Amino acid sequence: PAFGHLSARLLDDPFSRLQRSPSSWTPQNGLLPTLAFFISNCQRDINSLNFSTPLTHSNLTPSEHTALHSLCSNPTIIIKLADKGDAVVVWCADLHRAE
């Protein structure tokens, strides 16, 4: 056959070749001093964070916060995560209840 060099698994699932196993490679210490410097600075910065204190500021503008609050409290719509993927869907409440 024309595809004799491909395994049956690849023919059944064309996306299987895109799935890579996680790498176990780690650079040797001292081999890349710039990388080691970057990693140590990142570790220091992360360790200096205090995750137990609440955030004191929002990344939303006041108008975005008002709009989000308005959407969340609107009884005519339902906002939820999609069944697949990381999408957010907005349903008309009547249609959602009918489904």
Side-chain angles (χ1 to χ4, degrees), residues 46-78:
I46 290 170
N47 289 334
S48 70
L49 295 174
N50 185 356
F51 293 104
S52 63
T53 59
L55 294 176
T56 57
H57 65 283
S58 173
N59 62 345
L60 299 176
T61 66
S63 62
E64 290 171 333
H65 187 272
T66 301
L68 186 59
H69 181 70
S70 173
L71 286 170
C72 290
S73 60
N74 185 342
T76 63
I77 61 172
I78 295 176

Side-chain angles (χ1 to χ4, degrees), residues 19-34:
Q19 298 170 354
R20 295 184 180 179
S21 58
S23 172
S24 61
W25 180 82
T26 304
Q28 295 176 353
N29 287 336
L31 186 63
L32 302 169
T34 306

Side-chain angles (χ1 to χ4, degrees), residues 1-18:
F3 298 106
H5 64 284
L6 295 176
S7 70
R9 185 173 148 232
L10 281 177
L11 291 175
D12 291 342
D13 182 10
F15 296 104
S16 64
R17 63 185 170 89
L18 300 176

